[in-house]
């Protein structure tokens, strides 16, 4: 669907060659699959009745075919005009051959690359026109038929919109042009009310000046024409009106002679008010059939019939001031300049190995350039696969050339302004490549006798003298002696078969070959080449290049860890049935080379596996169930084990082997995608475990048996940057979080204690609601089997078990649990933990609790640690626990005061903490302005984490931008603290909440929104803590000591649940140990 919601009923594309129908139909269908064409529109490609029916004849024929299809759809057995009542029909004409694009002007690729499109695809003249028609020109138009050529590039002001009030008849659109430009074009002559009086084509300067508009420009005949429903019905009548029926395929099948009718100079001209019937019927018009001569009678009868059917219909002009019209002429020089003059981006959908060798003002379109290829300013390379070393001089165009031609091109020593083309043609059952060369300044249509005529930018006489070729060898007597008709280009040699670039083009340029061989070969002209071009093969060649470029860009982006969204490439590959080779490419990148270090590959492989999951979901095409789900099917266990054991290549290819069994249905594809995400999590955990090198634990004398070692921790209050600490964001982009260590209502809410006991077992106790709460869970572990569910986060006591596995015993040891405990620690261990905070509070409870547990265990076993080691120990522990998550929680609760935690974009991930030294009076003021509001809503961060990681791996542009802003906001917040500015801290809090909501849409429940709106007048800033979705709201008030006021506001706010308001006290110490009693 278009952005404006305008829906086409039918889009019909006319083409002059019947062999092109299937190829062009596929191109339209691809655009519909990419959603650049209305999904509900009927797509048709309609061949013209004959080679040159004229744009008017092609319109009448296409309208008939459209009416037949719509009538059949509606259940009619004959064509009926009733189907026009609510139809919005678009007819586009491909038009005649275009020498500089083998598939015509409509499919001429432009130097534009749309970064935000859903599916990676080119922008052709057709696409640009469709976008303007669908989104700007046609919305609001009544039912009827729009008709347009595709041989131009339009530019429409963004604020342009048509008014349809009081409209009737036919409307033409015109864009402004200079009088000099109009001399070779058509202009509309209109009156002050916009009624078209005449259409002047290639008129004199005096005639053109009559059409000058108030802005000094003239209204050019610019393409789009609209026929109202009533006029469209009249046009439909022509298929039963001789001799106009000769324009349609039904007329051909009925034996009616062909008739050429022009859209602008016949169909529209008969509506112009200045013309009489005699003038319209009898005058000679440039580019139209002559009313005298052999076909004169038929032409006059056809014009008379048009006059009788259409005359009296209003024809109005809509002049688009500020727009631009660029007709694609036959000038090679103009075309090269058109595609290179922008110069903003030299690379359009291309892979360039040495981008530094491409000069400013050059343009590479849909090409693969490998090695050292130098392209000078003004040089153009399109649809080529070339291998260096090569030089492309200024003003040259290389198009359609395969890699095997590179060696020959190297030897050509091209001069400036040379055009070298490769075409794929079809001769009967033979498919051949033919190569053409000419000068950018050559005029294709002027006679060789003309003083301006040239070949290779030199006069014909120079060429004849240099080569020994005679004119009669190029042209048959009596035919036009133009470059376009010169049989210059050898295709087949009687003894040596197909002629390559070196035997044909090279000789014409004076680089090898011989005259005799040239004479012996069967040769064709440029006109022949264009008529013999195999459109299907040409389009497939372009498409294959596009896919090659896509795979190379994917490879570069993944290996360099670039922030480029790859989903459009994946969708394009799936639509083009290129999934197999794409998946093989991703497998290869993930596996890496044997020479690569495992550590560096762990920074690449997890994203690769996530990309494979994306491809599998694209292949499911919106079916197969939810993306998130379990990933523990036994069929994948071998691959997972290999990855877990560090065998990356073996694991990746084991995944690929298993994947082959899951490709047969959307349901299986989605399930396979879940397992690829699970495999990515295995590698992500291994990458994070590299942080072990930042853990330094000393061993000393253990305290006595039965002596408790107790630690207490504050909660974490994150103010800015949260989510940027989440792996892989934290080490692929780099993270920064500004947070506080705080007591809630004057207390440290999180703690743990441990002691060695005589019995060789583990006694694990978790208290709910605080240290002295009677609500607790007790687990006794007498064997290693009792610990094996430590990596299942929802298993009872999983966190405490993970602490034991990471710091007390080894599950892989051959010794039983009791023996390990006695050998290493002289007895068992009793371990207690507690938190006075509710589940899902958003205050970092689980990670801080993990730090407290580790500290207690270290202390009771006589080990020493520093805070940095404890922070990284928690990071390691959470990988064992498989909960994921970032590093900011333990930084917030284990390190006291106000600080900024940072991690750089590299592996191994290292967390660096900067404590901010702030004046006591400012800290006191901060405490008086800070409150925590418990919202009564809980939401587990784990439910949000998978979506965030998935969107980051996909590098959605919005996600990348958001992460950048998260880090920037954290740095801004730190500066605000250093400057002692509470208002700026408040702004950072508001920005943090805005960014959190963008990271996890849906993280603001309605009840929370009500609370925040109610408190807004009291707040400098506010933000839900943690991942959002519930828990505590951090409130920075405008005035100090606002607890009672906040309670009053909330009590007067209807519909709130179990909320509460808490004071906040900065904790400058962080984790503390309580001396044994």
């Amino acid at each position: 669907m278009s952005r404006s919601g305008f829906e086409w009923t039918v889009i019909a594309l006319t083409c002059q060659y019947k062999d092109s129908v299937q190829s062009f139909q596929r191109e339209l269908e691809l655009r519909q699959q990419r959603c650049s064409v209305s999904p509900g529109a009927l797509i048709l490609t309609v061949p013209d009745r004959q080679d040159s029916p004229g744009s008017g004849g092609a319109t009448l024929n296409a309208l008939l075919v459209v009416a037949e299809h719509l009538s059949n759809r509606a259940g009619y057995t004959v064509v009926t005009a009733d189907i026009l009542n609510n139809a919005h029909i678009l007819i586009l004409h491909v038009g005649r051959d275009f020498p500089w694009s083998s598939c015509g002007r409509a499919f001429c690729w432009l130097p534009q690359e749309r970064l935000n499109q859903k599916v990676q695809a080119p922008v052709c003249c057709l696409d640009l026109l469709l976008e303007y028609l669908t989104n700007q020109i046609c919305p609001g138009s009544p039912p009827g038929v729009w008709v347009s050529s595709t041989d131009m590039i339009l530019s429409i002001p963004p604020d342009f919109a048509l008014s349809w009030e009081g409209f009737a008849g036919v409307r033409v659109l015109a864009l402004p042009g200079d009088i000099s430009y109009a001399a070779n074009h058509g202009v509309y002559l209109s009156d002050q009310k916009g009624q078209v009086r005449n259409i002047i084509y290639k008129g004199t300067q005096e005639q053109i000046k009559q059409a000058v508009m108030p802005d000094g420009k003239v209204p050019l005949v610019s393409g789009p024409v609209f026929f109202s429903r009533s006029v469209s019905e009249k046009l439909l009548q022509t298929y039963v009106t001789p001799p106009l029926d000769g324009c349609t395929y039904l007329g051909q099948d009925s034996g009616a002679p062909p008739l050429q009718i022009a859209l602008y100079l016949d169909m529209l001209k008969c509506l112009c008010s200045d013309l009489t019937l005699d003038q319209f019927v009898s005058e000679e018009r440039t580019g139209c059939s002559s009313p005298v001569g052999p076909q004169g009678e038929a032409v006059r009868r056809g014009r008379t019939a048009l006059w009788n059917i259409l005359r009296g219909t209003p024809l109005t002009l809509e002049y688009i001031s500020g727009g631009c019209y660029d007709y694609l002429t036959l000038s090679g020089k103009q075309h090269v300049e058109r595609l290179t003059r922008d110069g903003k981006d030299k690379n359009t959908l291309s892979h360039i190995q040495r981008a530094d060798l491409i000069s400013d003002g050059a343009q590479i379109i849909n090409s693969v350039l490998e090695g050292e290829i130098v392209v000078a300013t003004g040089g153009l390379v399109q649809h080529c696969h070339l291998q260096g070393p090569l030089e492309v001089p200024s003003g040259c165009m290389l198009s359609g050339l395969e890699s095997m031609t590179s060696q020959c091109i190297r030897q050509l020593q091209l001069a400036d302004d040379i055009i070298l083309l490769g075409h794929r043609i079809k001769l009967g059952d033979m498919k051949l490549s033919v190569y053409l060369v000419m000068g950018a300044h050559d005029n294709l249509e002027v006679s060789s006798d003309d003083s301006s005529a040239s070949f290779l930018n030199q006069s014909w006489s120079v060429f004849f003298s240099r080569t020994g070729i005679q004119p009669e060898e190029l042209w048959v007597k009596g035919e036009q002696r133009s470059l376009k008709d010169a049989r210059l280009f050898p295709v087949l040699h009687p003894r040596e078969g197909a002629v390559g670039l070196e035997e044909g083009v090279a000789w014409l340029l004076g680089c090898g070959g011989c005259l005799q061989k040239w004479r012996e070969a069967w040769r064709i002209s440029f006109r022949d080449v264009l008529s013999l071009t195999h459109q299907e093969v040409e389009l497939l060649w372009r498409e294959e290049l596009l896919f090659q470029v896509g795979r190379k860009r994917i490879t570069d982006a993944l290996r360099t860890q670039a922030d480029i969204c790859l989903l459009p490439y994946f969708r394009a590959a799936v639509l083009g049935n290129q999934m197999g080779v794409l998946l093989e490419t991703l497998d290869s990148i993930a596996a890496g080379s044997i020479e690569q270090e495992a550590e560096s590959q762990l920074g690449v492989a997890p994203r690769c596996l996530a990309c494979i999951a994306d491809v599998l979901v694209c292949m499911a095409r919106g079916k197969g169930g939810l993306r998130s789900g379990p990933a523990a099917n036994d069929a994948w266990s071998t691959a997972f084990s290999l990855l877990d054991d560090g065998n990356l290549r073996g694991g990746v290819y084991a995944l690929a082997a298993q994947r082959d069994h899951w490709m047969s249905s959307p349901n299986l594809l989605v399930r396979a995608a879940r397992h690829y995400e699970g495999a990515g999590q295995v590698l992500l955990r291994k990458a994070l475990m590299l942080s072990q090198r930042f853990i330094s634990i000393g061993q000393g004398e253990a305290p006595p048996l039965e002596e408790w070692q107790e630690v207490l921790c504050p909660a974490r209050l994150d103010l800015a940057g949260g989510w940027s600490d989440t792996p892989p964001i934290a080490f692929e982009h780099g993270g920064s979080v500004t947070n506080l260590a705080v007591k809630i209502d004057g207390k440290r809410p999180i703690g743990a204690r441990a002691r060695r006991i005589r019995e060789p077992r583990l006694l694990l106790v978790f208290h709910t609601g605080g240290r002295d709460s009677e609500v607790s869970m007790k687990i006794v572990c007498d064997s290693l089997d009792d610990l094996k569910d430590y990596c299942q986060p929802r298993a009872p006591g999983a966190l405490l078990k993970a602490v034991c596995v990471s710091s007390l015993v080894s599950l892989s040891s051959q010794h039983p649990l009791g023996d390990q405990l006695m050998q290493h620690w002289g007895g068992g261990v009793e371990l207690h933990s507690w938190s006075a905070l509710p589940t899902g509070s958003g205050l970092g409870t689980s990670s801080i609790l993990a730090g407290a547990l580790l500290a207690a265990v270290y202390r009771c076993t006589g080990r020493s640690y520093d805070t940095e080691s404890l922070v990284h120990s928690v990071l390691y522990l959470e990988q064992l626990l498989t909960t994921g998550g970032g590093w900011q929680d333990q930084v917030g609760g284990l390190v006291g005061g106000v600080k900024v935690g940072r991690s750089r974009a590299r592996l191994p991930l290292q967390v660096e903490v900067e404590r901010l030294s702030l004046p006591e009076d400012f800290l006191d003021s901060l405490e008086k302005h800070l409150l925590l509001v418990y919202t009564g809503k809980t939401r587990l961060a784990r439910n949000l984490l998978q979506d965030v990681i998935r969107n980051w791996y996909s590098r959605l542009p919005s996600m990348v931008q958001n992460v950048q802003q998260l880090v920037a906001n954290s740095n801004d917040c730190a500066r605000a603290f250093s400057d002692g500015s509470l208002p700026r801290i408040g702004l950072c809090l508001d920005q943090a909440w805005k960014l959190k909501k963008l990271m996890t849409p849906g993280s603001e429940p309605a009840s929370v929104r009500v609370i925040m709106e109610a408190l807004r007048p009291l707040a400098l800033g506010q933000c839900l803590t943690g991942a959002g979705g519930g828990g505590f709201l951090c409130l920075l008030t405008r005035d100090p000591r606002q607890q009672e006021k906040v309670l009053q506001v909330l009590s007067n706010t209807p519909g709130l649940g179990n909320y509460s308001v808490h004071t906040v006290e900065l904790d400058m110490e962080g984790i503390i140990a309580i001396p044994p009693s």
Side-chain angles (χ1 to χ4, degrees):
M1 186 182 295
S2 68
R3 291 176 303 178
S4 65
F6 188 77
E7 290 283 348
W8 294 108
T9 309
V10 183
I11 297 177
L13 186 70
T14 72
C15 60
Q16 62 175 327
Y17 300 122
K18 291 180 174 59
D19 292 343
S20 304
V21 171
Q22 288 186 345
S23 302
F24 289 174
Q25 178 71 16
R26 181 175 179 272
E27 288 294 311
L28 286 179
E29 290 170 355
L30 278 173
R31 283 158 172 78
Q32 191 168 46
Q33 292 168 6
R34 297 172 191 146
C35 300
S36 57
V37 170
S38 305
L42 173 64
I43 301 297
L44 298 173
T45 303
V46 183
D48 297 336
R49 171 182 168 167
Q50 67 230 39
D51 288 344
S52 300
S55 54
T59 299
L60 298 178
N61 184 55
L63 180 57
L64 170 61
V65 173
V66 167
E68 285 188 322
H69 278 79
L70 292 180
S71 296
N72 182 59
R73 271 191 169 189
Y76 295 103
T77 57
V78 295
V79 174
T80 174
D82 290 346
I83 49 90
L84 299 173
N85 289 341
N86 297 302
H88 297 277
I89 298 167
L90 175 60
I91 297 174
L92 299 171
H93 298 306
V94 169
R96 295 183 291 273
D97 293 323
F98 184 54
W100 318 123
S101 175
S102 55
C103 300
R105 292 176 172 89
F107 297 104
C108 175
W109 288 40
L110 301 176
Q112 297 184 23
E113 188 168 343
R114 292 172 180 166
L115 300 179
N116 294 326
Q117 60 187 354
K118 190 174 181 180
V119 182
Q120 191 64 49
V123 179
C124 303
C125 292
L126 173 68
D127 301 298
L128 201 59
L129 178 63
L130 271 171
E131 181 174 336
Y132 280 129
L133 289 171
T134 303
N135 296 325
Q136 276 191 268
I137 295 174
C138 303
S141 61
V145 178
W146 283 92
V147 182
S148 181
S149 57
T150 58
D151 54 8
M152 71 292 190
I153 300 172
L154 299 183
S155 177
I156 307 293
D159 58 349
F160 172 76
L162 280 172
S163 171
W164 295 93
E165 185 177 353
F167 166 78
V170 180
R171 172 177 267 176
V172 293
L173 270 63
L175 289 128
D178 296 326
I179 293 176
S180 58
Y181 183 86
N184 291 306
H185 202 72
V187 297
Y188 293 111
L189 177 62
S190 62
D191 62 20
Q192 292 183 346
K193 295 182 178 180
Q195 298 291 322
V196 179
R197 295 167 48 201
N198 203 350
I199 300 173
I200 303 167
Y201 183 66
K202 291 187 177 181
T204 64
Q205 194 172 50
E206 289 71 24
Q207 290 174 315
I208 295 170
K209 283 182 177 179
Q210 297 178 56
V212 171
M213 304 298 281
D215 60 2
K217 305 287 187 179
V218 293
L220 300 171
V221 175
S222 306
V225 179
F226 179 71
F227 297 95
S228 66
R229 185 251 177 258
S230 59
V231 179
S232 301
E233 182 173 355
K234 294 179 180 180
L235 295 177
L236 189 57
Q237 294 173 12
T238 58
Y239 87 95
V240 291
T241 306
L244 298 175
D245 60 339
C247 298
T248 69
Y249 87 93
L250 277 183
Q252 182 180 18
D253 290 352
S254 302
L259 182 67
Q260 185 182 77
I261 293 291
L263 172 63
Y264 301 100
L265 298 182
D266 285 325
M267 290 172 61
L268 296 184
K269 188 136 183 167
C270 75
L271 306 179
C272 296
S273 59
D274 281 5
L275 268 69
T276 64
L277 173 61
D278 184 61
Q279 288 174 321
F280 173 69
V281 170
S282 303
E283 73 176 1
E284 292 277 2
R285 296 195 277 274
T286 304
C288 294
S289 297
S290 174
V292 298
Q295 299 295 320
E297 175 61 25
V299 170
R300 292 193 299 274
R301 287 177 55 224
R303 290 180 177 178
T304 301
L306 276 177
W307 182 277
N308 292 335
I309 292 171
L310 297 176
R311 187 62 178 180
T313 300
L315 175 62
T316 54
L317 170 70
E318 183 70 31
Y319 181 63
I320 308 176
S321 179
C324 184
Y325 173 87
D326 184 10
Y327 178 73
L328 274 61
T329 69
L330 297 181
S331 166
K333 185 64 176 176
Q334 287 182 11
H335 190 67
V336 172
E337 290 178 345
R338 175 184 295 114
L339 298 186
T340 58
R341 65 187 169 205
D342 188 7
K344 292 180 181 177
D345 192 346
K346 299 173 282 189
N347 181 335
T348 301
L349 293 171
S350 296
H351 170 76
I352 306 171
Q353 193 169 7
R354 289 290 306 277
D356 58 306
L357 300 180
I358 311 301
S359 301
D360 292 339
Q363 184 61 236
I364 316 298
I365 302 175
N366 190 40
S367 295
V368 176
L369 304 189
E370 298 173 320
E372 296 187 0
I373 299 180
V374 179
V375 183
T377 299
L380 171 65
V381 179
Q382 62 177 9
H383 313 306
C384 292
H385 186 171
L386 301 175
Q387 295 177 331
L390 279 179
E391 290 193 18
V392 181
S394 177
C396 286
M397 176 170 77
L398 275 59
S399 180
L401 302 173
E402 308 94 335
S403 60
M404 65 181 182
T405 64
S406 300
Q407 184 174 354
C408 180
I409 297 171
R410 246 173 253 138
Q411 301 166 0
L412 294 182
Q413 297 179 343
L414 295 173
D416 290 354
D417 297 328
I418 293 295
I419 295 176
L420 186 56
L421 308 174
H423 278 257
R424 290 130 200 95
I425 66 171
K426 188 175 183 181
L427 288 170
D429 294 331
M430 282 194 302
K431 296 177 182 178
L432 300 169
S433 291
V434 60
Y435 303 97
L436 315 176
V437 66
M438 61 206 65
H441 297 279
D442 297 341
N443 188 315
L444 296 177
E445 298 191 310
V446 71
S447 171
S448 62
D449 299 326
D450 192 286
S451 60
S452 65
S454 65
F455 177 54
L456 300 176
N457 301 321
Q458 298 177 326
S459 67
W460 280 103
S461 60
V462 171
F463 174 72
F464 291 143
S465 174
R466 176 172 63 81
T467 61
I469 292 174
Q470 301 300 311
E472 54 269 22
E473 294 180 281
L474 299 182
W475 298 284
V476 176
K477 187 177 180 180
E479 74 177 357
Q480 184 179 356
R481 292 163 63 101
S482 68
L483 172 55
K484 193 173 184 179
D485 292 291
R487 292 173 181 82
L488 277 162
F489 308 108
V491 177
L492 288 171
H493 193 276
R495 295 185 302 277
E496 300 177 9
V499 177
L501 187 70
E502 59 277 8
E503 296 93 2
V505 164
W507 182 72
L508 292 173
L509 286 168
C511 302
C514 68
L515 178 60
Q516 186 59 34
K517 270 196 170 185
W518 179 87
R519 283 175 170 160
E520 290 173 351
W522 179 66
R523 305 183 308 277
I524 59 178
S525 67
F526 198 178
R527 188 186 300 275
D528 295 329
V529 170
L530 294 175
S531 65
L532 294 171
T533 295
H534 196 332
Q535 304 277 15
E536 180 182 1
V537 176
E538 286 286 347
L539 290 168
L540 288 175
W541 165 249
R542 295 182 181 187
E543 191 176 68
E544 173 54 32
L545 279 174
L546 180 65
F547 292 138
Q548 281 191 52
V549 168
R551 292 193 294 272
K552 289 180 180 294
R553 284 189 171 187
I554 289 167
T555 301
D556 289 347
L558 291 175
R559 286 181 175 163
T560 62
Q561 301 181 44
D563 291 339
I564 297 173
C565 182
L566 301 177
L567 287 174
Y569 298 99
F570 299 159
R571 297 186 186 111
V574 170
L575 288 178
N577 201 30
Q578 297 283 312
M579 302 85 73
V581 67
L582 173 58
L583 289 171
E584 290 174 4
T585 300
L586 291 170
D587 290 336
S588 176
I589 303 167
S593 63
I594 297 175
E595 297 79 16
Q596 282 179 297
E597 294 183 9
E599 185 172 304
S600 65
Q601 195 57 19
L602 281 174
V604 174
R607 184 182 176 190
C608 290
L609 299 187
C611 286
I612 293 174
D614 283 335
V615 174
L616 296 173
V617 170
C618 288
M619 291 170 64
R621 299 176 186 261
K623 302 176 182 178
L626 294 175
R627 176 76 178 267
S628 298
N633 190 291
D634 283 343
W636 300 83
S637 60
T638 299
F640 276 48
S641 296
L642 288 168
L643 295 176
D644 217 6
D645 293 341
N647 186 348
L648 179 59
R649 288 179 64 83
V652 167
Y653 288 116
L655 287 171
Q658 185 58 226
R659 181 180 70 216
D660 290 341
H661 302 294
W662 295 65
M663 307 282 276
S664 58
S665 72
N667 180 52
L668 290 175
L669 286 165
V670 171
R671 290 170 63 192
R674 294 171 183 168
H675 284 82
Y676 263 94
E677 287 190 341
Q681 288 299 310
V682 172
L683 295 183
L684 180 58
R685 289 195 292 272
K686 293 189 76 63
L688 292 174
M689 286 179 176
L690 297 174
S691 297
Q692 256 188 309
R693 69 186 61 179
F694 306 117
I695 301 173
S696 178
I697 305 297
Q699 183 63 57
E701 184 178 349
L705 286 170
E706 309 297 339
E707 181 177 290
W708 287 105
Q709 300 296 318
E710 183 171 336
V711 296
L712 295 176
C713 296
R716 180 269 300 134
L717 195 58
D718 63 311
L719 302 181
W723 280 118
S724 73
D725 65 303
T726 303
I729 299 171
F731 64 79
E732 290 184 351
H733 176 276
S736 176
V737 181
T738 302
N739 63 25
L740 315 176
V742 295
K743 299 173 185 175
I744 310 297
D745 296 329
K747 298 178 181 179
R748 296 183 177 93
I750 300 165
R753 61 177 180 161
R755 65 177 178 175
R756 290 188 300 127
I757 57 178
R758 299 186 187 280
E759 299 85 355
R761 63 180 183 177
L762 296 171
L763 181 58
L764 311 177
V765 182
F766 175 71
H767 299 270
T768 302
R771 181 183 187 278
D772 301 320
S773 170
E774 296 182 0
V775 181
S776 64
M777 177 181 63
K778 182 177 180 180
I779 298 172
V780 178
C781 299
D782 291 311
S783 71
L784 293 175
D785 287 342
D786 295 330
L787 293 170
K788 285 186 176 178
D789 59 351
Y790 74 93
C791 57
Q792 299 174 25
R794 298 187 183 183
L799 175 58
L800 285 83
K801 291 178 181 179
V803 168
C804 294
V805 169
S806 70
S807 61
L808 291 173
V809 298
S810 170
L811 291 184
S812 61
S813 172
Q814 299 298 316
H815 300 289
L817 175 66
D819 290 355
Q820 291 188 55
L821 291 171
M822 293 303 296
Q823 179 182 351
H824 295 297
W825 314 117
V829 174
E830 182 177 353
L831 183 58
H832 292 227
S833 68
W834 61 87
S835 170
L837 299 172
T839 302
S841 66
L843 297 178
T845 305
S846 59
S847 296
I848 299 171
L849 192 58
L853 284 164
L854 286 169
V857 168
Y858 290 154
R859 294 181 68 83
C860 87
T861 54
R863 285 176 280 180
S864 60
Y865 58 87
D866 57 24
T867 307
E868 180 186 7
S869 295
L870 206 54
V871 166
H872 290 94
S873 293
V874 174
L875 191 63
Y876 179 83
L877 174 68
E878 290 185 331
Q879 306 321 306
L880 293 178
L881 193 60
T882 70
T883 52
W887 46 254
Q888 72 129 326
D889 293 346
Q890 58 263 40
V891 167
L894 302 180
V895 182
V898 183
K899 63 273 180 186
V900 185
R902 296 185 178 93
S903 59
R904 302 183 190 184
R906 67 186 184 192
L907 280 176
L909 189 153
Q910 182 177 16
V911 183
E912 300 169 310
V913 182
E914 177 191 0
R915 293 190 63 174
L916 303 182
S917 180
L918 304 173
E920 286 292 334
D921 58 343
F922 173 71
L923 294 176
D924 181 61
S925 175
L926 177 65
E927 285 184 347
K928 292 174 182 176
H929 286 78
L930 269 179
L931 289 173
L932 280 176
V933 179
Y934 183 61
T935 64
K937 300 287 275 187
T938 61
R939 182 169 180 178
L940 297 178
R942 193 171 185 275
N943 296 337
L944 307 172
L945 184 59
Q946 194 171 15
D947 284 342
V948 170
I949 293 175
R950 182 183 299 138
N951 292 339
W952 170 253
Y953 274 141
S954 296
R955 293 304 197 275
L956 298 181
S958 58
M959 170 64 76
V960 173
Q961 181 183 20
N962 210 41
V963 168
Q964 293 168 345
Q965 292 177 340
L966 285 170
V967 172
N969 191 45
S970 172
N971 295 330
D972 288 345
C973 190
R975 283 190 289 270
F977 269 103
S978 297
D979 294 342
S981 174
L982 289 178
R984 282 167 51 200
I985 295 171
L987 291 175
C988 291
L989 264 179
D990 284 341
Q991 174 72 350
W993 180 231
K994 173 186 172 184
L995 296 174
K996 282 184 183 181
K997 289 190 290 182
L998 291 173
M999 289 293 282
T1000 55
S1003 58
E1004 183 182 54
S1007 60
V1008 171
R1009 192 178 308 117
V1010 170
I1011 291 175
M1012 296 182 80
E1013 285 299 320
L1015 297 177
R1016 193 169 302 283
L1018 304 180
L1020 288 172
Q1022 52 185 332
C1023 177
L1024 280 185
T1025 59
F1032 280 90
L1033 172 70
C1034 175
L1035 182 69
L1036 186 66
T1037 60
R1038 297 180 185 276
D1039 299 318
R1041 300 186 179 92
Q1042 291 291 292
Q1043 185 176 16
E1044 293 301 322
K1045 182 66 174 177
V1046 168
L1047 281 168
Q1048 180 183 348
V1049 169
L1050 295 179
S1051 65
N1052 293 331
T1053 303
L1056 300 185
N1058 186 28
Y1059 65 85
S1060 55
V1061 181
H1062 305 265
T1063 59
V1064 173
E1065 180 184 334
L1066 288 176
D1067 187 309
M1068 304 307 293
E1069 296 178 275
I1071 186 170
I1072 62 169
I1074 305 299
S1077 56

